Amino acid sequence: MVALVPSSVLAGRFAILQKLGAASRLQTALRQLLSLVLTFLLALFTVVAVEWVARGELTDLPGYFISPIHPGFTTVGIVMLLMLVLDALFSRAHQSILLIVPLALVPAFISNQKQHYLSDPLYPSDFLFAHQILELMPVIVRERPWTAVAVAVGIVASVIAVALLWRYTWRHAAALSRNARIARLSICLPLMIVFVSQMDPTQNSLIREKLRIIPIVWDQKENYGYNGFIIAFSLNLPMADVKAPAGYGQNAIDAIPARNYGYLSGPREKPDVIMLMSESFWDPTRLTNLTFTPDPMPNIRAAQSGYVFSPEFGGMTANVEFEALTGFSNAFLPYGSIPYQQYVRRPMPSLATFFRGEGYAARSIHPFSGWFWNRNEVYKAFGFEEFRTEETMPPMEKRGLFASDDSLMKEIMREGDAMERPFFFFAVTLQGHGPYEPHRYAENTVDIKGDLSDADRDTLATYTQGVREADQSLKMLMDWASKRDRETIIALWGDHLPPLGTVYPDTGYMPEQVATRKAPLDVMKREHQTPLVIWSSRKGVRKDVGTISPSQLPYHILKTAGYEHPFYTGFLGRLQKKYTIIDRYQLATRDNQAFPDWARKEQNLDPLMRDYRYLQYDAMFGREYGLDRFFPSHAWLVSQGS
C-alpha cells in the first residue's frame, strides 16, 4: 500500500524546488553578467593595446577614452560586439580574444612603422601591394639578416603560442548554450550590420554623429588621432569608390573650352624625349649646417630648371609617376589611394598615347620587376608599346643592392641609338632607393663636415655618394645627346625626398623624420621639393619653371619639344598660369598665394579647378565625353585597338 504524502509536505518540497530554480536562474544570470563584464574588459584591453601600439605612446590615450567628444568607448563597444558574435559562432565564451587581438595588433604595429618612415598611417589600400613587400623580403634579409632571423623566430613563436592557447581554451572555456548563442547573434549581429552601414564617410549619418565618429578623410593623421586606429581604418575601407563630382555630366564637359590644335603640324624636326624619374633624388646641400666637398650635384645644379613639389615622402613612387605621365592629380582621389593599384583599369590618356599619335616609339624602362606597382598592366593602359624590365634588359651593373644609374643610362643610350624613328622613353632609376646602409659603396667621394652622429653620418654619406653618381650619370647622358643629329630633350626630377631617418631632425632640417602633410607653404616646399631639370640638346635649359606639381610636367615637356595639345598645353597651360602646386592640402598660385584645405571647400572651388576635376574624372571613371576634344590621339589609338 502506497503511503500518502501530506499536501503540506508537497507544498514544502515545491517551494524548495522553486527556490532552487530561482537560485539556479540567478546563478546563470550572474554568470552571464560576469561573462559580459569580462568581455567588456577584454575589449577595453584590446582597444587600449591597439591604440598604444598604433600611436607609439600612452599620452593621448586618457583623452581618447575620457573626452566626451572622442569615440574611445564607442570603439570598445564595437570590439565587444564583434567578440560576442565570434564567441557565438565558436560556441565558446571569450575564445574570440585569441583571434581579434593578433588581427588588430599586427596592423596597428605596421601602421606605427609606416608613420615612422613614410608619415602616413596604414590604409586598407596598402594591402593591395602586400605582394610587393613579400617579393622585397630577400633584399631586406640580405641587408639585415639577424633582424630578419629575429622577426622570423618571433612570428613562428607567436603562431605556435596562439595555436596552443587556442587548443587549451577550446578544451577549458565555458561552452555556450544554444539559447545563449542565439541571443548573442540576434542582438549583436544586427548592431554590427548597422555599424558597418555607417562607415561610408561620403554619406551623412546621424547615428555616426551620435557615436562621436567624425570622418576626417581630408587629414588622415588627424583622422587616426581623433577616431583611433580601428574606426579610422574602417572609415577608409570605402576609399576605392570614387564618386562623380557634383555637376559632372556631358554638359559640364562640353562647357569646358578646348582649342583644336589639329591644324598644327608640331615642330619641323621631331625631337626625341627622355623622361627620367630619379629614385629619391634630392639636394643634400640643403642641410645648410653641413658642408659637402665637392658639390655632389654640380651638373644638375647647372642645368636645374626649378623644383617638383612631390605629393609623397620617402616612398609611394607610383603616385608621383601617375601625375607625371597623365597630367592628372592625386588631389582629386581619396587620400591614401594608389591609382596604379586601384583605378587604372582601362585605356587612359598619357604622354605615351600623345607621342604615339605623333609617330613616336613609346617605351618605358625600369631595372626592376615589371609586376612592381602593377606597372606591367598600367603601362599597357597608358599606351606604351613596350616595357623594358630587369627580366628583358641585359644584366645591369649593381651599386649596392640595386641597378646603377650609370648602367641604366648606358642602356637608354644603346636603345636610343638603335631607334630609327623619334622615340619617347620614360625611365625610373633604382640606385637611389633606400635604405642607405653604411658601406654600400667601396668609397664615398664626398666629404661631409658638421655636427653629426656616426649613424647619421654613415646614412648621409651613402645617400650623398648616390647623388653624386646620379649627377655624373646624367652628364654622361647629356654628353651623348649633345652629339646626336636629332634634338634630344631630357627631363629629370626626384620622385620624393629620401627617407634619411634621424638625419632630418638631428640637423634641424625637419622636426620629424618624415615630412609634414599639412603646414604653411614655405614649410611644405622645404619638405617636398626635389630638383627638376628640363634640358634640350639644341635649346639648352628651360629656365625659371619654378616649383610645380608633377602633373604639370607634361605641359613643360611638350612646350620644350614644340608641341601643342588641347589638354597638355591647352588646359594645363591655362592652369599653370595661375596655379603651380596642386596638392591635397595646399593649392598655391604662381605668386605663392596659398589655399590650404582647398579641396574640402567644393562649393567654393575655382571653376578652373572644378573643370580640371571634371576632365580627370571623365577620363578615369566617367563616360569619356571629352576624350575626342581633349585627347584626340588617345581616342584615335583606342578606336584602332592599339
Side-chain angles (χ1 to χ4, degrees):
M1 187 177 208
V2 179
L4 296 175
V5 179
S7 60
S8 59
V9 174
L10 289 174
R13 290 178 179 176
F14 183 69
I16 291 171
L17 290 174
Q18 280 187 316
K19 290 179 180 179
L20 289 173
S24 177
R25 288 194 296 272
L26 179 63
Q27 189 177 19
T28 300
L30 184 60
R31 281 202 306 268
Q32 291 176 350
L33 178 61
L34 290 174
S35 178
L36 288 175
V37 171
L38 180 56
T39 302
F40 171 80
L41 292 175
L42 290 173
L44 177 62
F45 162 79
T46 300
V47 175
V48 170
V50 166
E51 290 304 316
W52 184 9
V53 170
R55 298 168 190 261
E57 56 186 9
L58 287 169
T59 53
D60 293 341
L61 291 190
Y64 179 65
F65 286 102
I66 296 172
S67 171
I69 65 170
H70 284 273
F73 280 101
T74 296
T75 309
V76 175
I78 292 165
V79 173
M80 182 177 175
L81 285 175
L82 181 59
M83 286 181 171
L84 292 172
V85 168
L86 291 176
D87 285 343
L89 295 176
F90 296 146
S91 75
R92 294 290 189 278
H94 317 305
Q95 185 83 13
S96 59
I97 189 71
L98 295 176
L99 181 65
I100 288 177
V101 168
L103 290 181
L105 283 180
V106 171
F109 174 75
I110 295 172
S111 183
N112 175 275
Q113 293 300 298
K114 187 185 173 195
Q115 289 183 86
H116 185 69
Y117 291 105
L118 297 177
S119 81
D120 280 339
L122 183 72
Y123 304 123
S125 58
D126 290 333
F127 290 101
L128 291 170
F129 58 96
H131 168 68
Q132 298 176 182
I133 297 173
L134 292 176
E135 291 287 347
L136 284 175
M137 287 305 293
V139 174
I140 299 171
V141 169
R142 285 199 301 270
E143 183 217 338
R144 298 178 181 176
W146 290 113
T147 302
V149 169
V151 170
V153 170
I155 291 173
V156 171
S158 299
V159 170
I160 292 173
V162 170
L164 292 174
L165 281 170
W166 184 276
R167 183 182 178 186
Y168 177 83
T169 55
W170 186 265
R171 291 179 174 178
H172 296 87
L176 295 174
S177 67
R178 183 171 177 270
N179 289 338
R181 295 171 64 194
I182 291 174
R184 292 183 180 216
L185 289 173
S186 60
I187 296 173
C188 300
L189 198 56
L191 291 175
M192 286 295 300
I193 293 171
V194 169
F195 166 72
V196 171
S197 70
Q198 306 303 305
M199 285 300 102
D200 185 351
T202 64
Q203 303 295 322
N204 293 324
S205 169
L206 181 61
I207 295 175
R208 199 170 59 211
E209 183 180 327
K210 295 298 183 183
L211 292 173
R212 300 292 187 265
I213 299 173
I214 302 175
I216 313 175
V217 294
W218 57 88
D219 186 343
Q220 290 291 350
K221 186 174 182 180
E222 179 66 20
N223 190 27
Y224 279 72
Y226 173 84
N227 289 303
F229 176 79
I230 293 172
I231 288 181
F233 188 86
S234 302
L235 288 167
N236 282 324
L237 284 170
M239 68 163 49
D241 182 24
V242 179
K243 292 180 169 55
Y248 166 74
Q250 184 162 359
N251 291 337
I253 297 297
D254 290 345
I256 302 173
R259 188 175 173 188
N260 181 10
Y261 292 103
Y263 64 91
L264 295 176
S265 59
R268 186 167 56 86
E269 182 186 6
K270 295 181 177 181
D272 293 325
V273 177
I274 302 171
M275 290 179 72
L276 294 169
M277 189 165 69
S278 185
E279 173 61 46
S280 299
F281 189 86
W282 177 69
D283 181 1
T285 67
R286 299 189 83 175
L287 301 168
T288 53
N289 57 343
L290 305 175
T291 57
F292 297 79
T293 309
D295 182 357
M297 43 175 280
N299 300 297
I300 290 176
R301 201 179 308 284
Q304 192 166 339
S305 302
Y307 296 94
V308 162
F309 183 94
S310 176
E312 304 295 344
F313 173 87
M316 306 301 287
T317 296
N319 284 355
V320 182
E321 185 177 319
F322 164 77
E323 292 199 7
L325 282 173
T326 64
F328 297 147
S329 176
N330 288 289
F332 299 126
L333 299 173
Y335 194 103
S337 60
I338 307 164
Y340 274 25
Q341 299 280 3
Q342 294 165 269
Y343 306 131
V344 182
R345 294 291 182 267
R346 66 187 190 187
M348 194 172 295
S350 76
L351 286 180
T353 55
F354 165 76
F355 280 111
R356 282 185 61 193
E358 295 295 326
Y360 280 63
R363 182 175 296 174
S364 49
I365 307 170
H366 181 48
F368 201 63
S369 296
W371 52 260
F372 205 77
W373 289 123
N374 197 32
R375 285 188 175 106
N376 280 329
E377 300 305 317
V378 169
Y379 287 158
K380 288 178 185 176
F382 282 178
F384 282 101
E385 297 168 296
E386 187 177 359
F387 177 24
R388 303 274 284 156
T389 68
E390 67 174 353
E391 293 90 355
T392 58
M393 287 191 290
M396 298 269 106
E397 173 203 358
K398 297 292 181 70
R399 294 293 278 159
L401 299 173
F402 305 111
S404 71
D405 285 5
D406 197 67
S407 62
L408 179 61
M409 297 306 120
K410 289 176 181 176
E411 177 63 16
I412 290 172
M413 292 186 291
R414 187 188 70 79
E415 295 188 27
D417 286 337
M419 288 286 182
E420 294 183 0
R421 57 181 171 142
F423 62 79
F424 167 61
F425 286 172
F426 175 76
V428 183
T429 73
L430 194 58
Q431 181 177 337
H433 204 291
Y436 308 105
E437 69 282 1
H439 315 301
R440 175 190 288 191
Y441 305 106
E443 180 184 7
N444 292 327
T445 59
V446 179
D447 182 51
I448 304 173
K449 293 191 183 306
D451 186 15
L452 281 173
S453 67
D454 290 342
D456 285 348
R457 188 176 297 278
D458 287 342
T459 297
L460 189 58
T462 295
Y463 175 74
T464 304
Q465 181 63 28
V467 168
R468 188 173 194 202
E469 294 189 12
D471 182 81
Q472 292 168 343
S473 298
L474 179 65
K475 183 179 186 304
M476 177 178 65
L477 186 68
M478 293 169 72
D479 289 344
W480 165 80
S482 298
K483 298 171 185 175
R484 303 183 72 230
D485 293 335
R486 184 182 291 140
E487 178 186 5
T488 304
I489 293 167
I490 298 173
L492 175 141
W493 74 99
D495 54 350
H496 49 68
L497 268 70
L500 294 177
T502 56
V503 169
Y504 294 122
D506 288 353
T507 58
Y509 189 80
M510 297 190 307
E512 305 291 340
Q513 295 186 31
V514 294
T516 309
R517 290 292 188 189
K518 191 174 182 180
L521 182 59
D522 59 334
V523 175
M524 292 286 280
K525 281 186 174 183
R526 179 182 176 87
E527 299 180 4
H528 289 270
Q529 283 179 330
T530 66
L532 168 64
V533 171
I534 301 177
W535 173 88
S536 162
S537 60
R538 299 271 178 85
K539 308 181 191 79
V541 178
R542 184 174 180 87
K543 295 285 190 181
D544 303 322
V545 171
T547 300
I548 62 171
S549 286
S551 57
Q552 295 186 342
L553 283 168
Y555 167 81
H556 291 281
I557 290 170
L558 263 59
K559 277 292 189 181
T560 305
Y563 286 105
E564 297 289 348
H565 182 267
F567 180 78
Y568 292 123
T569 62
F571 185 84
L572 289 185
R574 295 199 303 274
L575 190 70
Q576 65 87 35
K577 286 180 180 178
K578 186 171 184 180
Y579 300 109
T580 56
I581 296 174
I582 301 165
D583 181 71
R584 283 188 180 90
Y585 291 140
Q586 199 70 266
L587 183 66
T589 63
R590 186 165 290 281
D591 59 357
N592 290 320
Q593 185 179 1
F595 298 91
D597 292 332
W598 62 278
R600 292 176 54 196
K601 306 164 186 174
E602 191 169 342
Q603 66 277 11
N604 298 322
L605 203 60
D606 184 330
L608 189 61
M609 296 303 299
R610 179 202 62 204
D611 290 347
Y612 189 18
R613 187 178 184 185
Y614 284 163
L615 287 172
Q616 178 169 325
Y617 180 85
D618 185 61
M620 292 185 68
F621 311 103
R623 303 294 296 273
E624 299 180 329
Y625 298 123
L627 212 60
D628 289 331
R629 284 200 307 139
F630 286 94
F631 304 98
S633 56
H634 175 79
W636 180 80
L637 285 169
V638 170
S639 69
Q640 299 299 307
S642 60

